[in-house]
């Protein structure tokens, strides 16, 4: 045995170093996965209490006047709110005193945006609603902190989950 170890010590050392390098490489890969999983999710489209896409709560009418030129305007004098809705109905900005007070977004009415789909899925999995759902007609409004989720209610005889049809961003 002594003569074998004396003759093959370089080979044994090489095998140990090689196996150690493989173990270290896999260990580093697992650590990177754990760091990525622990990192906070960066919302790119749907930001609760802040905004949707390039629109933010608190923006002034003057900041958006070029962007919303083609939007349809309606007014509610009782609430003192002016509503500007995009032609396809996918986005609506609600103004009070020339500032955005809420943003409505209906993703089914426009081209699918992977950022918004990912943000919505992550938001629902990480946050809990703060009040009982509010049924209105065939819709259900679920209130989260900074967001209201609008779902289309399925008939009682169907065991399907309610379908998300829109989000309303409100200030926190």
């Amino acid at each position: 045995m002594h003569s074998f170890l004396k003759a093959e010590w370089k080979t044994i050392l090489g095998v140990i170093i090689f196996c150690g390098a493989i173990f270290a490489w896999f260990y580093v890969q697992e650590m990177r996965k754990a760091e990525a999983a622990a990192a906070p999710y960066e919302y790119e489209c749907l930001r609760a209490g802040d905004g949707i896409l390039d629109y933010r709560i608190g923006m002034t009418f003057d900041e958006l006047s070029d962007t919303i030129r083609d939007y349809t305007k309606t007014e509610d004098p009782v609430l003192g709110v002016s509503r500007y809705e995009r032609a396809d109905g996918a986005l609506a900005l609600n103004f009070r005193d020339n500032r955005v007070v809420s943003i409505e977004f209906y993703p089914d009415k426009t081209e699918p945006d992977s950022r918004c789909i990912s943000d919505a899925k992550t938001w629902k999995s990480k946050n809990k609603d703060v009040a009982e759902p509010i049924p209105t007609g065939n819709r259900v409004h679920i209130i989260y902190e900074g967001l209201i989720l609008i779902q289309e209610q399925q008939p009682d005889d169907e065991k399907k989950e309610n379908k998300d049809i829109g989000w309303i961003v409100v200030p926190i």
Side-chain angles (χ1 to χ4, degrees):
M1 181 72 160
H2 183 279
S3 60
F4 172 76
L5 292 175
K6 192 173 184 180
E8 298 296 330
W9 74 271
K10 293 178 189 174
T11 306
I12 294 170
L13 182 62
V15 168
I16 290 172
I17 290 173
F18 178 74
C19 291
I22 290 174
F23 174 77
W25 185 75
F26 279 111
Y27 180 77
V28 167
Q29 295 300 319
E30 288 300 316
M31 292 303 293
R32 287 184 183 157
K33 285 180 190 175
E35 287 173 4
Y41 181 82
E42 289 287 328
Y43 291 95
E44 298 178 43
C45 171
L46 186 64
R47 297 173 310 279
D50 183 43
I52 291 179
L53 299 170
D54 298 329
Y55 302 99
R56 291 184 331 275
I57 299 288
M59 291 180 94
T60 63
F61 181 80
D62 295 334
E63 290 177 287
L64 297 168
S65 61
D66 292 336
T67 310
I68 62 175
R69 188 176 319 137
D70 299 331
Y71 286 33
T72 305
K73 179 182 178 184
T74 55
E75 293 202 31
D76 186 341
V78 174
L79 296 175
V81 174
S82 299
R83 184 171 196 264
Y84 288 83
E85 184 175 359
R86 205 162 72 181
D88 62 3
L91 184 76
L93 303 171
N94 298 302
F95 288 86
R96 181 179 293 136
D97 298 327
N98 286 327
R99 292 206 174 273
V100 176
V101 292
S102 68
I103 305 166
E104 301 174 35
F105 182 61
Y106 304 96
D108 287 350
K109 296 181 179 181
T110 187
E111 295 289 323
D113 188 336
S114 61
R115 298 174 305 165
C116 294
I117 294 168
S118 174
D119 285 359
K121 183 184 276 188
T122 303
W123 176 259
K124 283 178 65 176
S125 69
K126 290 187 175 189
N127 293 283
K128 300 276 187 225
D129 52 339
V130 295
E132 283 293 316
I134 301 168
T136 56
N138 66 339
R139 291 185 175 180
V140 176
H141 295 80
I142 302 171
I143 302 169
Y144 294 90
E145 189 170 333
L147 283 173
I148 300 171
L149 170 62
I150 304 168
Q151 292 183 332
E152 187 173 47
Q153 194 169 14
Q154 300 297 323
D156 290 337
D157 57 335
E158 294 183 28
K159 300 295 181 204
K160 294 181 187 175
E161 200 173 297
N162 291 343
K163 180 184 177 208
D164 298 349
I165 58 172
W167 294 88
I168 301 174
V169 176
V170 294
I172 294 178

